[in-house]
Amino acid sequence: MMLPNGEITISSMTPADLRNLIQTGEGKYLEFKKTTPSTGKIAREIAAFANTKGGTILVGVDDHKNITGVSAYFEEEYVLHKAAFEYCVPAVEIEIELIHSGSLDVMVVRVPEAEKKPVYNKSKKKRLVFVRRDDKSVLASDEQAEILKNRYSDEGVTFEYGEREQMLFRYLNEYGEITVLKYSQLINVTTYRASKILVNLVSAGVLKLFNRSETDYYTFSHTTK
């Protein structure tokens, strides 16, 4: 695949703007990289931002908010574009700017939110989905990936309000939240079948999914966490 002939442009962002941005620290929408890591690793960061709400990667800034700068501009740019256009499916249209701060330069990589989700990462065995959680890019659960797929599908999502759904709603009214495993035990079905029901209800806007301590939980969509 031929990479786009993009050029690094000089940004209108001032050094003061850059320092202010750095001081906000890493978070859901901001990531620091001292140097661009391997193509596969930086592709995960790009896809995670694209699968969430978009974000910015600063190359030439370490984890302690120090500007370390970059020197191999075009090598860094090549890796970033290769990651975005060859390792992400569909490709992510990143924008790269160069900020001068004293004698050092920082690359500002802006990652837009994907119009169609999920954005997959190529791997040797299967395509993976990464999302942004707090200040980390993490592997999405099968349920999270399926919900993203359903929300951005051209087909509508439907569900039946049967006995299993009634049991779920009664449980949520009493306990507030449930896991796939607990729901499968509650209605005496496989975790695969329980997952399908919960995913459909999230996709339809009835439930919402959130993660706590590396476990997915489901609540009514009007419940705030």
Side-chain angles (χ1 to χ4, degrees):
M1 176 180 179
M2 184 176 293
L3 295 178
N5 294 318
E7 295 182 354
I8 299 178
T9 58
I10 303 300
S11 173
S12 59
M13 179 183 287
T14 67
D17 293 333
L18 175 63
R19 288 192 295 271
N20 289 336
L21 178 61
I22 292 171
Q23 288 308 307
T24 64
E26 290 183 301
K28 192 171 185 177
Y29 308 105
L30 185 62
E31 177 77 19
F32 299 156
K33 294 294 181 187
K34 189 174 182 179
T35 59
T36 303
S38 68
T39 310
K41 288 182 179 179
I42 197 63
R44 296 175 187 175
E45 305 283 2
I46 292 171
F49 279 124
N51 281 328
T52 311
K53 295 292 183 180
T56 302
I57 303 170
L58 299 181
V59 182
V61 179
D62 67 19
D63 291 338
H64 303 290
K65 304 181 182 179
N66 299 312
I67 296 177
T68 56
V70 295
S71 56
Y73 310 124
F74 297 107
E75 288 85 347
E76 301 269 12
E77 181 197 28
Y78 175 80
V79 171
L80 287 162
H81 277 303
K82 186 178 179 67
F85 283 85
E86 290 190 8
Y87 281 64
C88 293
V89 182
V92 179
E93 297 283 347
I94 61 173
E95 294 181 357
I96 303 175
E97 293 182 321
L98 185 64
I99 311 289
H100 297 300
S101 180
S103 61
L104 300 173
D105 299 317
V106 174
M107 294 174 70
V108 179
V109 185
R110 293 188 174 88
V111 182
E113 181 178 2
E115 294 183 2
K116 192 173 183 63
K117 302 176 184 178
V119 172
Y120 295 93
N121 283 112
K122 292 181 180 179
S123 69
K124 293 182 179 180
K125 294 184 179 180
K126 67 175 183 177
R127 297 189 300 179
L128 304 174
V129 176
F130 289 85
V131 294
R132 196 73 180 169
R133 186 179 301 148
D134 298 325
D135 61 347
K136 303 292 183 182
S137 296
V138 299
L139 183 65
S141 65
D142 291 341
E143 288 78 19
Q144 288 174 314
E146 192 66 22
I147 289 166
L148 281 175
K149 183 178 178 180
N150 288 348
R151 283 179 176 170
Y152 291 85
S153 171
D154 294 332
E155 300 178 5
V157 177
T158 60
F159 70 92
E160 297 180 1
Y161 182 64
E163 182 179 353
R164 292 170 176 173
E165 288 75 17
Q166 292 177 30
M167 293 173 68
L168 170 64
F169 295 164
R170 286 197 295 269
Y171 186 94
L172 289 177
N173 279 327
E174 183 170 357
Y175 298 102
E177 61 189 39
I178 198 168
T179 64
V180 169
L181 178 60
K182 182 63 183 179
Y183 184 45
S184 70
Q185 295 170 343
L186 179 69
I187 62 176
N188 195 29
V189 299
T190 64
T191 54
Y192 175 82
R193 180 56 187 157
S195 171
K196 284 292 185 182
I197 296 173
L198 292 170
V199 164
N200 280 344
L201 289 170
V202 173
S203 301
V206 178
L207 302 182
K208 76 171 184 178
L209 178 152
F210 72 95
N211 185 278
R212 185 175 67 234
S213 301
E214 305 303 320
T215 302
D216 285 344
Y217 291 85
Y218 297 81
T219 69
F220 284 122
S221 59
H222 57 75
T223 303
T224 59
K225 285 286 177 183

